[in-house]
Amino acid sequence: MRRTMQASGVSTDETAPRPRAVRRMTWLQLYRSDVGRYRQYRPGASLLNLLVAHQGLWALLEHRIASGVHNAALPPVIKRPCLYALEIWQKAVEILTGISISREAFIGPGCYMGPQHIFIGKDAIIGAHCTILNGATIAESGRGTQRGTPRLGDRVVIGAKAVVIGKLSVADDAVVGPNSLVIYDVSASSVMMGVPAKCFSQAGSRDMIPPQTEYPSSGDRRTNVMRTPMQASGGSIDETAPRPRADRRRDMTWMQRYRSDIGRYRQYRPGASLLNLLFTNQGLWALLEHRIASGVYNAALPPVIKRPCLYVLEIWQKAIEVLTGISISCEACIGPGLYLGRRHIFISKDAIVGTHCSIGHGVTIAESGRGTQRGTPRIGDRVLILANAVLVGKLLVGDDAVIVPNSLVIYDVSEASVMMGVPAKCFRGSRDMFVHRLPGYPEGREPGAPDDMLPSPGTGAEPPV
């Protein structure tokens, strides 16, 4: 769908000059600015640690070199073999990370990319100090003379799983919310949200991304995704409030927690052997690594033992991310009995997930916010988060809540609510559309609560994730 574009601060004229920052800097200078941007979020980390820990830097390194060779005035006898070799490298990066960046795209300095599944089409123009989070798509679209590729200004934030397509411009300091679809021009400092995206506020990204080219080696951690004031809800988000039971069960070892995870998977495959469960469920691969890494991270071990173990576990975590797309920080607190979908799940540090929760494929649970409102979601017990949902910011999800697929949650969620939309609002229809009764349904529970997803052993029912 396409209609007349609105005026904005970035020209969509095909003859418009490319950004000066791209034309004046070498590929090495551009990549150093990218590394400086990542270093801002991990002050004190070594270059080797950054390159190992961030798939976005793997993709940016290949793109910077490939773009430099593509734009260089080299003889064809040298240029063509180099481009073929770089194309093989690009395909290897796509397989490992899911990140695909055309060498014909122009990306300004200081770019930050999420860890997986980003697509940037050819002829796209991205300004300086932009943020593109996991699952985002920036691609060509349109018909006839209206066919084209987006042009992004400086300090633009593209949220998780957002889609920006067509011959349009996104002006400086704009923010595109997660799971949103942008098909029209975006004015400066706008916060766009919805399908199709509409202006939600004029807060912009001014306090999300520092405008300077050089980044401090230390300082406050800034957000990469939009945040708005939270609405009142039934649960307190006060830092002094007691944490969910998942955070208070310190008496459980990592092995006990992992056994409860296996027991949860066994409910859906009664009679399956342990070897069969471990071999056929990628979620158990990621949970095994997380349970061990979290146990080591929280253990009172001497630094001479703890640090090497954490480095090894971080390499293991990256291998799991490459194989499954599932990334769970060792600093996240995950309650026992978790069920994970098969692929593409991101749970950031300091997130809290309660007991017996279900998280479908493509779900993002991430840190976000401005100033004192910066934080990570806290999720109660028996919460069901369905495919491609995004939860960001300092919010609380009450027990027995359901998050509908492709929804964006940025406010608190009360108990036993069904949330739907971008941004998510309480769904007033039948809960049976998303949660259905299974044999072994506990008596006395409110119909439709996510305990429906916990059948008694032997039912063989598949979870809707």
Side-chain angles (χ1 to χ4, degrees):
M1 180 170 65
R2 191 75 189 121
R3 71 183 185 189
T4 305
M5 296 185 294
Q6 300 169 343
S8 71
V10 179
S11 173
T12 56
D13 182 10
E14 294 298 331
T15 62
R18 304 286 187 177
R20 290 190 296 272
V22 176
R23 292 186 285 111
R24 291 180 179 177
M25 299 177 70
T26 65
W27 73 264
L28 185 56
Q29 291 173 323
L30 289 167
Y31 190 64
R32 282 177 176 172
S33 68
D34 300 332
V35 173
R37 179 76 189 283
Y38 280 77
R39 195 183 297 277
Q40 179 188 6
Y41 304 105
R42 295 190 64 180
S46 65
L47 177 61
L48 179 61
N49 188 280
L50 288 173
L51 292 176
V52 170
H54 295 282
Q55 294 96 309
L57 284 176
W58 307 355
L60 282 169
L61 177 60
E62 183 278 329
H63 168 72
R64 295 303 189 189
I65 296 175
S67 180
V69 173
H70 176 75
N71 295 313
L74 298 174
V77 69
I78 298 175
K79 190 171 186 176
R80 287 177 182 174
C82 290
L83 290 177
Y84 280 127
L86 288 166
E87 189 166 0
I88 295 172
W89 184 10
Q90 179 191 13
K91 293 305 173 185
V93 170
E94 285 187 32
I95 292 171
L96 292 175
T97 67
I99 300 175
S100 175
I101 310 174
S102 172
R103 62 172 177 255
E104 299 177 47
F106 283 72
I107 300 179
C111 182
Y112 183 96
M113 288 195 173
Q116 48 190 289
H117 309 300
I118 294 170
F119 178 81
I120 300 176
K122 69 173 191 175
D123 296 329
I125 295 180
I126 298 173
H129 317 306
C130 289
T131 297
I132 303 172
L133 298 181
N134 59 295
T137 298
I138 301 172
E140 186 178 23
S141 183
R143 300 181 180 182
T145 58
Q146 292 301 323
R147 185 168 183 83
T149 314
R151 298 191 172 198
L152 277 59
D154 297 338
R155 300 172 302 280
V156 173
V157 175
I158 307 296
K161 300 179 178 64
V163 177
V164 183
I165 54 173
K167 188 179 178 182
L168 57 88
S169 61
V170 179
D172 296 347
D173 302 307
V175 178
V176 178
N179 280 352
S180 297
L181 169 63
V182 176
I183 54 176
Y184 311 129
D185 284 2
V186 176
S187 59
S189 300
S190 295
V191 176
M192 306 296 291
M193 194 186 306
V195 181
K198 299 179 181 179
C199 186
F200 190 74
S201 75
Q202 290 293 326
S205 65
R206 288 182 294 272
D207 57 348
M208 295 182 180
I209 304 174
Q212 65 270 24
T213 302
E214 298 296 327
Y215 294 92
S217 59
S218 63
D220 64 318
R221 297 160 47 111
R222 296 178 184 269
T223 183
N224 285 330
V225 274
M226 56 150 297
R227 186 69 187 128
T228 58
M230 294 184 295
Q231 296 175 335
S233 70
S236 172
I237 200 69
D238 183 8
E239 292 296 331
T240 61
R243 292 197 165 192
R245 286 186 287 277
D247 195 44
R248 301 202 299 266
R249 293 190 177 181
R250 298 298 185 184
D251 55 323
M252 296 184 69
T253 65
W254 72 265
M255 178 63 77
Q256 290 172 325
R257 289 172 181 259
Y258 191 60
R259 283 177 179 171
S260 67
D261 300 332
I262 294 174
R264 180 73 190 283
Y265 279 77
R266 196 183 295 278
Q267 290 178 334
Y268 304 108
R269 297 190 61 185
S273 65
L274 176 61
L275 181 61
N276 187 282
L277 287 173
L278 293 175
F279 182 75
T280 58
N281 292 282
Q282 296 96 312
L284 285 175
W285 307 354
L287 282 170
L288 177 59
E289 185 279 328
H290 168 73
R291 297 302 187 190
I292 296 175
S294 181
V296 172
Y297 178 79
N298 293 312
L301 297 174
V304 69
I305 299 175
K306 190 172 185 176
R307 287 178 182 173
C309 289
L310 289 177
Y311 279 125
V312 172
L313 289 166
E314 187 166 6
I315 295 173
W316 184 10
Q317 180 189 11
K318 292 304 164 185
I320 292 293
E321 288 185 27
V322 169
L323 291 173
T324 69
I326 299 175
S327 175
I328 309 175
S329 171
C330 63
E331 299 178 51
C333 181
I334 308 293
L338 178 66
Y339 186 96
L340 290 179
R342 289 174 174 80
R343 299 189 66 83
H344 313 317
I345 296 170
F346 178 80
I347 302 176
S348 68
K349 59 177 284 187
D350 297 328
I352 297 176
V353 180
T355 62
H356 305 298
C357 291
S358 292
I359 299 177
H361 66 270
V363 167
T364 298
I365 301 172
E367 187 178 22
S368 178
R370 307 169 189 261
T372 58
Q373 293 299 323
R374 183 171 179 81
T376 315
R378 297 184 178 192
I379 299 168
D381 298 336
R382 302 174 304 280
V383 173
L384 175 61
I385 305 174
L386 295 173
N388 295 322
V390 177
L391 294 82
V392 291
K394 189 177 180 181
L395 57 90
L396 180 66
V397 178
D399 297 345
D400 303 311
V402 178
I403 310 300
V404 173
N406 289 342
S407 296
L408 168 61
V409 179
I410 56 176
Y411 309 129
D412 288 357
V413 176
S414 58
E415 293 185 1
S417 297
V418 176
M419 304 298 290
M420 178 193 294
V422 181
K425 298 178 181 179
C426 187
F427 179 65
R428 302 298 181 185
S430 173
R431 298 171 66 93
D432 294 337
M433 293 179 62
F434 312 103
V435 185
H436 57 278
R437 291 178 180 269
L438 295 173
Y441 181 76
E443 296 295 333
R445 296 288 304 168
E446 178 186 349
D451 264 355
D452 289 346
M453 313 315 299
L454 306 176
S456 60
T459 61
E462 284 291 334
V465 292

